[in-house]
Amino acid sequence: MIAVGKRAGLWWAAAAIWTASYGGLGLYWARGGAGFPYAEAVAARSAGALLVGLPPGSTGVMIAVFAVALLALATLRLFRRSETTMWPARSAWTVAALLLLAVPDARLLVALVNVLMLRFGDIPPMMPNQIFVLAGAFAWWRAAQADRPPGAAGARPSSRERRVWLAAVVLPLLYAARQLTWALGIHVGVSEEFVRPYTAPGARLTEAVLGSMTVAGALLTLGLRQKWGSRVPRWSPILPCRPVPVLLVVIPGGLAAIILSAAGLSIYRGLLSMALGLTPAGPSAALENWAVWLPTLAWLPWGLALGIATMDYHRRRRATASRLSLQAGSQALDEQPQHR
């Protein structure tokens, strides 16, 4: 019989199922199966990927061995009580962090942009693997979160919440400023030779769309600490005064935070690799083209700030729901008839 709570057990089971699936993929790749995602060298290195040019055989075996170890961890947690120790939750946090740090790269953000702009033919072929790894990281993260004892996540100071939220609102505007100025034909901080392809009408339209989407994201982030982010405004023609579903905010916010953080981390890895001479520096990393790479340095802090702000929003909404539930229960008890 499973010796954990129902909610925690479901997430640990989901993490185990994902791990078994990816371990099976590792064995498939080790035996020469198609679609091995870590063999790329040039495109992966230019995107800031960490796992570059690996051999399918040995890498597939290592993936399978890693999966077996994680399955042992999940099995122990599912069938053995461990309420007095936090090592399963800490291990799950570590697994989620390793998956997020090792696999996703800047191509994930490029794929998201192409999907939003309905350019499905431009999606890199290795994206299904990165998306699947993100799903596994999410499962392990939720398993760790569900395993926390009640009250483990203490409330952060309000001033800290506000600073992180403001950073999540302001940082995207730095990137949007470049996109919109390029859309207007204003090219500061970039050489004429490099920017020439970006002056075509189609390219300028793309820049305008990307800049507008980034500004829209900043405005939506603004709602994480505004009343209209929790309840639809009275003047809205759609469901006025109705509570905004929590998952409608948390799921896209969390996904955007993960993708931005992964892309931003890959940018820093790529710049470090160029600085150490491990990767040849292209024209996009030249000092004269600072407007190309400097705004992308905001992706990592933007993603981290957005992730923290989204989790704070989730925590506040859950606390509010719990408080209202307790008040309703107390009111129901007070309204019961008193019998002598």
Side-chain angles (χ1 to χ4, degrees):
M1 182 177 178
I2 294 179
V4 294
K6 181 179 179 180
R7 179 167 166 264
L10 288 174
W11 283 113
W12 278 97
I17 292 171
W18 177 89
T19 303
S21 302
Y22 207 68
L25 281 174
L27 291 177
Y28 171 73
W29 291 327
R31 294 175 61 86
F36 180 67
Y38 305 113
E40 289 183 326
V42 177
R45 190 173 286 112
S46 63
L50 186 63
L51 305 177
V52 176
L54 301 179
S58 58
T59 305
V61 172
M62 290 180 63
I63 291 174
V65 171
F66 187 58
V68 170
L70 295 185
L71 279 174
L73 168 65
T75 302
L76 284 174
R77 184 63 190 102
L78 282 169
F79 292 95
R80 182 179 178 182
R81 292 187 180 276
S82 56
E83 289 83 353
T84 59
T85 179
M86 286 297 295
W87 69 264
R90 294 192 182 101
S91 301
W93 277 111
T94 303
V95 172
L98 287 175
L99 291 174
L100 290 175
L101 291 174
V103 178
D105 55 55
R107 291 173 293 180
L108 191 61
L109 182 58
V110 173
L112 175 62
V113 171
N114 287 327
V115 168
L116 293 176
M117 299 188 68
L118 305 179
R119 298 192 305 212
F120 300 102
D122 296 333
I123 298 176
M126 299 306 167
M127 283 305 98
N129 175 68
Q130 295 200 17
I131 294 172
F132 191 55
V133 169
L134 285 182
F138 178 76
W140 279 100
W141 171 71
R142 290 293 289 145
Q145 191 181 47
D147 230 15
R148 292 180 306 176
R156 294 187 179 90
S158 179
S159 59
R160 181 182 175 183
E161 285 185 1
R162 185 174 180 82
R163 287 195 299 268
V164 172
W165 167 70
L166 286 175
V169 173
V170 173
L171 286 170
L173 300 179
L174 302 178
Y175 179 72
R178 188 199 71 180
Q179 304 299 104
L180 295 176
T181 53
W182 282 18
L184 294 173
I186 304 172
H187 303 106
V188 179
V190 63
S191 65
E192 294 183 5
E193 180 182 1
F194 183 87
V195 82
R196 191 172 294 119
Y198 297 92
T199 58
R204 293 179 64 175
L205 177 61
T206 300
E207 299 299 332
V209 172
L210 290 176
S212 301
M213 289 169 53
T214 306
V215 172
L219 291 176
L220 290 175
T221 305
L222 196 64
L224 294 178
R225 287 182 65 86
Q226 302 294 326
K227 290 183 178 180
W228 55 267
S230 301
R231 184 172 294 275
V232 180
R234 186 186 305 273
W235 47 262
S236 173
I238 303 175
L239 303 177
C241 301
R242 299 290 294 274
V244 176
V246 177
L247 294 182
L248 186 64
V249 177
V250 171
I251 291 178
L255 286 176
I258 290 172
I259 293 173
L260 285 166
S261 299
L265 185 63
S266 69
I267 293 295
Y268 282 90
R269 283 199 301 254
L271 291 175
L272 179 62
S273 179
M274 293 177 191
L276 296 177
L278 302 176
T279 304
S284 61
L287 188 60
E288 64 176 343
N289 294 324
W290 59 265
V292 178
W293 53 267
L294 187 60
T296 63
L297 297 182
W299 288 353
L300 179 58
W302 174 15
L304 294 176
L306 178 59
I308 295 173
T310 302
M311 287 190 292
D312 286 337
Y313 172 88
H314 182 248
R315 177 180 55 80
R316 291 196 309 271
R317 291 292 303 274
R318 288 190 61 184
T320 300
S322 298
R323 185 170 62 252
L324 292 176
S325 178
L326 289 174
Q327 290 176 354
S330 176
Q331 183 178 1
L333 289 175
D334 292 342
E335 291 177 353
Q336 287 183 355
Q338 300 294 325
H339 298 285
R340 299 194 177 191

